[in-house]
Amino acid sequence: MKNNCRFVVNAIGKCGETYHTQCKDKKELQKWLLENQDKLSQNEIKVTDKKKHPLLKLISFNK
């Protein structure tokens, strides 16, 4: 079985819940974020792009 997800989302909810999901494309990622916007703490969302080039990962600027 091939895992074809591209984005991995780790987030913390407003009441301390932990969310972990995988999305196959940007459209699905945006849909999930919009659906769960009221449950999530906006400062505690981390989205990882699994297909990002390794050199870009080293020089990317994250908070």
Side-chain angles (χ1 to χ4, degrees):
M1 177 184 254
K2 185 177 179 183
N3 187 0
N4 60 355
C5 72
R6 177 172 180 173
F7 296 100
V8 177
V9 180
N10 291 309
I12 297 178
K14 292 181 179 177
C15 296
E17 307 95 342
T18 303
Y19 294 92
H20 176 80
T21 190
Q22 299 177 351
C23 301
K24 65 180 177 179
D25 56 14
K26 196 171 189 176
K27 186 174 181 180
E28 184 180 342
L29 172 65
Q30 290 173 341
K31 180 181 175 190
W32 187 87
L33 289 172
L34 285 173
E35 288 175 355
N36 296 294
Q37 176 178 350
D38 57 333
K39 300 177 194 173
L40 302 174
S41 174
Q42 298 300 316
N43 296 334
E44 299 293 331
I45 299 173
K46 182 177 180 187
V47 179
T48 305
D49 185 353
K50 291 173 59 177
K51 293 187 180 180
K52 190 173 186 181
H53 193 278
L55 290 177
L56 293 175
K57 287 180 184 180
L58 291 174
I59 60 173
S60 65
F61 298 103
N62 294 332
K63 288 183 181 180

